Amino acid sequence: MPEEIKAKVEDVLEKLTKLNDNISDSYNSTHGILETLSQFAYTGLDDLISDVEEIRDDLEDLEEAENQ
């Protein structure tokens, strides 16, 4: 189970790294950055929140199993 949690965390980090790259002002104009953030807020933010909630639940389950 720790490997599964680690894989989920890696997926979240990959999504955040991709977002960071997409909003980097080194590569994009202000308009492009705002467009990327708008698209992320519309499509990706709910997924990211769900991913983090799933990781939290997995950690709670792991903690419960260790305490038994």
Side-chain angles (χ1 to χ4, degrees):
M1 184 149 185
E3 290 80 23
E4 294 171 8
I5 295 170
K6 183 178 178 182
K8 290 177 185 179
V9 170
E10 292 293 332
D11 288 343
V12 168
L13 290 173
E14 185 177 319
K15 289 177 185 179
L16 290 172
T17 300
K18 182 178 178 185
L19 175 63
N20 184 58
D21 290 346
N22 288 341
I23 63 173
S24 170
D25 61 0
S26 301
Y27 305 108
N28 298 295
S29 65
T30 300
H31 177 75
I33 291 168
L34 292 174
E35 181 68 24
T36 298
L37 286 172
S38 176
Q39 289 174 352
F40 179 75
Y42 183 70
T43 60
L45 192 54
D46 282 341
D47 289 342
L48 188 60
I49 291 169
S50 294
D51 291 345
V52 172
E53 288 174 338
E54 189 175 319
I55 292 167
R56 180 201 58 208
D57 293 344
D58 288 348
L59 289 171
E60 288 173 354
D61 292 346
L62 184 60
E63 182 179 25
E64 285 178 17
E66 288 178 352
N67 290 333
Q68 290 180 358

